[in-house]
Amino acid sequence: PNWFKNTFIIAVCSCIISASFVLMVAYAMSCMRFKSRKLLMNLSVIVNLFPGVLSMIAVYFILKTLNLTNTHFGLILIYSAGSGLGYLIAKGFFDTIPNSLREAAYLDGASEATIFWKVVIPMSRPIIVYTVISSFLAPWMDFVFAKMMLNAGISSQWTVAIGLYAMLEKSLINT
């Protein structure tokens, strides 16, 4: 039960942070026009080509210098920070929302934040559900980063994936 609780806490916290971050970045890239928007989108696609495991060693040493290894906060930070590049699907959805709705809200005196929260988000339930589900399942199913970050061997800190893997050790098979 403790492993499920740990995994659930990590997954829910990173889900909330990731989903809000992805939706805001997707809205900014879809609806706002600024000078280096195309450059940022192209760079994010190029960075997204490389798998996250290539950065494992660098991420581990950075979090070790910050004393965030063997903590759930470190895992939440990893999963939330890695989600920002997943904005492309939500951006494609936000591109389908008509500009006339946002322009009407501008004429009524709404700010950009008001337009995002009161016009765009209520119309975007399908992409919100997709973003929440995908950002919840990523930490729930992850083994590699969790095993690397929670390496102290304290079983009360483990996630479900690490606990199930530890059950396969020869010394624990009979128990």
Side-chain angles (χ1 to χ4, degrees):
N2 200 22
W3 298 340
F4 276 105
K5 181 187 72 143
N6 292 341
T7 308
F8 186 74
I9 289 170
I10 291 168
V12 166
C13 290
S14 64
C15 173
I16 292 168
I17 295 168
S18 298
S20 60
F21 185 63
V22 164
L23 291 173
M24 286 189 265
V25 169
Y27 177 75
M29 292 297 182
S30 174
C31 300
M32 297 180 181
R33 301 291 179 249
F34 49 94
K35 190 173 185 178
S36 58
R37 184 177 77 90
K38 284 285 192 191
L39 176 67
L40 284 174
M41 288 194 311
N42 290 337
L43 286 176
S44 67
V45 168
I46 291 170
V47 169
N48 215 6
L49 292 173
F50 299 102
V53 293
L54 289 179
S55 65
M56 276 183 13
I57 296 170
V59 168
Y60 176 77
F61 283 115
I62 290 170
L63 292 178
K64 188 172 183 171
T65 58
L66 298 173
N67 290 328
L68 291 176
T69 56
N70 297 316
T71 63
H72 293 160
F73 181 71
L75 273 177
I76 292 169
L77 192 66
I78 288 173
Y79 296 134
S80 300
S83 70
L85 296 176
Y87 76 92
L88 288 172
I89 296 171
K91 181 200 174 300
F93 184 88
F94 288 147
D95 286 343
T96 64
I97 296 175
N99 283 338
S100 59
L101 292 173
R102 289 186 295 114
E103 290 170 357
Y106 276 129
L107 290 176
D108 288 341
S111 66
E112 199 68 50
T114 305
I115 293 170
F116 177 69
W117 289 109
K118 295 191 177 183
V119 175
V120 175
I121 289 295
M123 295 174 50
S124 306
R125 286 192 189 118
I127 199 64
I128 292 170
V129 169
Y130 167 78
T131 305
V132 166
I133 289 172
S134 63
S135 63
F136 180 84
L137 287 180
W140 186 268
M141 296 186 306
D142 184 49
F143 171 75
V144 177
F145 270 117
K147 180 69 174 163
M148 184 184 71
M149 297 309 298
L150 302 175
N151 60 4
I154 303 168
S155 66
S156 64
Q157 294 290 318
W158 288 348
T159 61
V160 172
I162 299 171
L164 291 175
Y165 178 75
M167 290 175 133
L168 295 175
E169 291 182 23
K170 286 185 179 183
S171 62
L172 295 175
I173 291 291
N174 293 331
T175 59

